[in-house]
């Protein structure tokens, strides 16, 4: 029985992680769309590239 519970916990955690990943991606896409309403695609790309670099440096 505990093996079944452990497996259900693993499936639940994986489902939550998958949902959060999809929701985060959707939110990011909405933020990018908002950026594009007030600046050029090149300006938005430069900002996003700088943010990506900062994220990589933080590891």
């Amino acid at each position: 029985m505990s093996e079944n519970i452990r497996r259900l916990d693993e499936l639940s955690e994986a489902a939550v992680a998958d949902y959060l990943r999809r929701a985060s991606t959707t939110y990011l896409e909405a933020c990018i769309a908002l950026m594009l309403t007030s600046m050029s695609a090149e300006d938005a790309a430069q900002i996003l590239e700088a943010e990506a670099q900062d994220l990589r440096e933080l590891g």
Side-chain angles (χ1 to χ4, degrees), residues 19-35:
Y19 170 79
L20 291 173
R21 181 180 180 91
R22 287 191 323 268
S24 296
T25 300
T26 300
Y27 180 72
L28 176 60
E29 290 168 346
C31 291
I32 292 169
L34 179 60
M35 291 174 76

Side-chain angles (χ1 to χ4, degrees), residues 31-51:
C31 291
I32 292 169
L34 179 60
M35 291 174 76
L36 293 174
T37 66
S38 62
M39 64 183 72
S40 70
E42 183 59 32
D43 288 343
Q46 288 177 351
I47 291 168
L48 292 167
E49 287 167 355
E51 293 298 325

Side-chain angles (χ1 to χ4, degrees), residues 1-11:
M1 184 64 134
S2 65
E3 179 64 27
N4 289 338
I5 292 172
R6 187 179 66 77
R7 181 66 179 137
L8 284 174
D9 285 344
E10 290 172 356
L11 290 172

